[in-house]
Amino acid sequence: MRKNRPVLVSMDIPALELSNTSIQSYPSQQWKNKFVGSASFSKEIGCNFGCISLSENLDAFKGFNPTTTQLLKHPLAMVALVPREAALFAAGAIAGAAAKSVTAPLDRIKLLMQTHGLRAGQEAAKKGIGFIEAFALIGKEEGIKGYWKGNLPQVIRIIPYSAVQLFAYETYKKLFQGKDGELSVIGRLAAGACAGMTSTFVTYPLDVLRLRLAVDPGYKTMSEVALNMLKEEGFASFYNGLGPSLIGIAPYIAVNFCVFDLVKKALPEKYQKRTEATLATGLISATIATLLCYPLDTVRRQMQMKGTPYMTIFDAFPGIVARDGIVGLYRGFVPNALKTLPNSSIRLTTFDTVKRLLARSEEEFQKIMEENRRQKAE
């Protein structure tokens, strides 16, 4: 299609209320059946409706772009020069890295509580290990730095994980949309589940390395863990526990995303864009998803351990229950739940702030272009 060529577009407008006096004599449903969508519509009511959209030559606007001096005077407008997708990706990556770093001590404690039984042996496993005991143990054996042991691979992992998950979720949402363009509850659940499994599969080896580094005091670096795993256990060890991970993450992301969307849509419009409402909604959705899916996370962690006796989910579930009882499936739940609040708050607040910043930068950029346009017109 050539530039500046007119494009004629027609479409149904279901909510359009006709006000022509020649139709008012018809009962509501009668005139809708008789006229709407009918070829004789314009003839019988004497009213034609059309809409013409002209595609403009966007090259003509290049002359109105802000100058370097203007951008230095209005630095916020510079942000608009960054592609929106890239800016949102960077915001998600930064938010995820910050949230993981702040909550790393709680995550380390949770991992020790989850895997204590398998590491300590059958007799010690029956006693378990509590939150305070795990906190004190890390400080005594490894010092302050021990609380952040294994955080670097987790931060490295969260950047591609967030990118893949967000991109996959947007892609799957389009695939699961209905013919009317709307996304049903089932569609949201399916899109979230597929996005969670896709991102987990891509970044799973980093998650295994992070676990080994966090719970085994004999390892100092991620490269040391990786080389030792390749030498002693083979490449397949990087995907130990992938099955329960996929099964666990699918319902978690599905429930998390779906509840978040539905709760936020149910809020009054004036609250939907407020930061505190977003934080509360994220906390509610994450808490519900965590409560439902935590046992699968415990199974996954124990299957990832070196020398694990569990080969399948069906071995792990009864094995953990026989040794620790039902409580064993929720070991480490408290620090994980405590981690949810700051983690969700930091991620959502950062992401929401950057989105508002992007909107303001685009407005600032448009104002400068409009000003340049008026000056040239004069």
Side-chain angles (χ1 to χ4, degrees):
M1 183 179 290
R2 298 190 303 273
K3 292 182 179 179
N4 301 325
R5 181 177 178 181
V7 178
L8 180 61
V9 179
S10 65
M11 62 182 292
D12 293 329
I13 310 178
L16 183 65
E17 290 294 332
L18 303 177
S19 59
N20 189 288
T21 54
S22 63
I23 6 177
Q24 297 306 315
S25 57
Y26 288 93
S28 176
Q29 191 59 44
Q30 183 179 342
W31 68 256
K32 286 182 180 179
N33 292 338
K34 181 175 180 61
F35 297 124
V36 176
S38 171
S40 61
F41 179 72
S42 61
K43 293 182 180 179
E44 298 205 35
I45 67 173
C47 175
N48 296 314
F49 177 81
C51 176
I52 297 180
S53 173
L54 295 177
S55 60
E56 298 189 62
N57 185 356
L58 298 180
D59 293 337
F61 287 90
K62 289 183 179 178
F64 306 127
N65 283 339
T67 62
T68 303
T69 304
Q70 288 176 317
L71 289 174
L72 291 174
K73 187 177 179 181
H74 303 276
L76 184 60
M78 292 184 186
V79 181
L81 297 174
V82 180
R84 186 173 179 82
E85 292 77 10
L88 290 176
F89 169 80
I94 293 170
K100 285 295 180 186
S101 296
V102 171
T103 59
L106 288 171
D107 199 33
R108 179 81 199 282
I109 292 171
K110 183 201 76 167
L111 290 176
L112 287 182
M113 291 176 69
Q114 282 182 313
T115 59
H116 173 74
L118 193 60
R119 291 181 297 106
Q122 296 292 330
E123 293 301 320
K126 293 178 182 179
K127 300 178 181 179
I129 184 172
F131 179 80
I132 302 298
E133 188 180 354
F135 181 84
L137 185 64
I138 295 172
K140 181 181 178 180
E141 294 185 354
E142 304 175 56
I144 296 295
K145 291 183 179 179
Y147 294 107
W148 279 270
K149 186 178 179 182
N151 186 55
L152 180 59
Q154 180 71 343
V155 170
I156 294 173
R157 169 186 173 271
I158 202 63
I159 294 175
Y161 182 82
S162 296
V164 173
Q165 190 173 91
L166 291 172
F167 178 78
Y169 184 57
E170 293 301 316
T171 302
Y172 288 126
K173 280 202 299 185
K174 293 177 182 178
L175 291 176
F176 291 115
Q177 279 180 351
K179 293 182 179 179
D180 56 355
E182 293 294 322
L183 192 62
S184 65
V185 174
I186 299 299
R188 292 182 192 280
L189 290 171
C194 292
M197 289 191 291
T198 301
S199 55
T200 297
F201 180 80
V202 172
T203 60
Y204 192 77
L206 283 173
D207 193 39
V208 174
L209 290 176
R210 195 263 302 202
L211 173 68
R212 295 287 185 94
L213 190 61
V215 302
D216 195 331
Y219 292 125
K220 300 298 181 183
T221 64
M222 189 165 56
S223 58
E224 182 184 355
V225 179
L227 291 173
N228 189 67
M229 287 176 64
L230 280 173
K231 182 180 178 180
E232 295 186 4
E233 304 173 61
F235 181 77
S237 63
F238 288 97
Y239 285 93
N240 283 346
L242 177 63
S245 294
L246 294 178
I247 295 173
I249 200 65
Y252 177 81
I253 297 299
V255 173
N256 199 353
F257 284 8
C258 186
V259 172
F260 181 81
D261 287 346
L262 295 178
V263 171
K264 195 165 186 179
K265 284 177 67 177
L267 292 174
E269 189 173 349
K270 64 179 181 179
Y271 293 114
Q272 290 183 4
K273 295 183 179 180
R274 295 181 61 170
T275 302
E276 56 269 31
T278 302
L279 294 176
T281 302
L283 176 61
I284 291 171
S285 61
T287 302
I288 293 173
T290 302
L291 188 63
L292 293 174
C293 306
Y294 191 81
L296 280 169
D297 187 53
T298 299
V299 168
R300 172 171 67 102
R301 295 303 183 189
Q302 296 213 12
M303 289 184 69
Q304 287 176 336
M305 291 294 295
K306 182 179 180 180
T308 178
Y310 308 128
M311 301 304 295
T312 67
I313 304 175
F314 304 106
D315 295 332
F317 262 110
I320 294 172
V321 172
R323 187 182 65 233
D324 303 330
I326 297 295
V327 176
L329 295 173
Y330 283 91
R331 186 163 288 168
F333 180 81
V334 173
N336 185 73
L338 291 174
K339 184 185 72 171
T340 300
L341 178 58
N343 192 296
S344 299
S345 298
I346 293 169
R347 288 188 67 181
L348 293 174
T349 301
T350 304
F351 195 67
D352 194 56
T353 300
V354 172
K355 284 201 297 184
R356 288 199 300 269
L357 182 66
L358 287 173
R360 286 174 54 197
S361 69
E362 289 168 1
E363 291 175 4
E364 192 76 17
F365 194 89
Q366 291 299 324
K367 285 180 182 178
I368 297 174
M369 288 186 66
E370 187 60 32
E371 183 182 339
N372 293 343
R373 194 175 185 175
R374 284 199 303 268
Q375 289 178 352
K376 290 198 175 186
E378 295 174 358

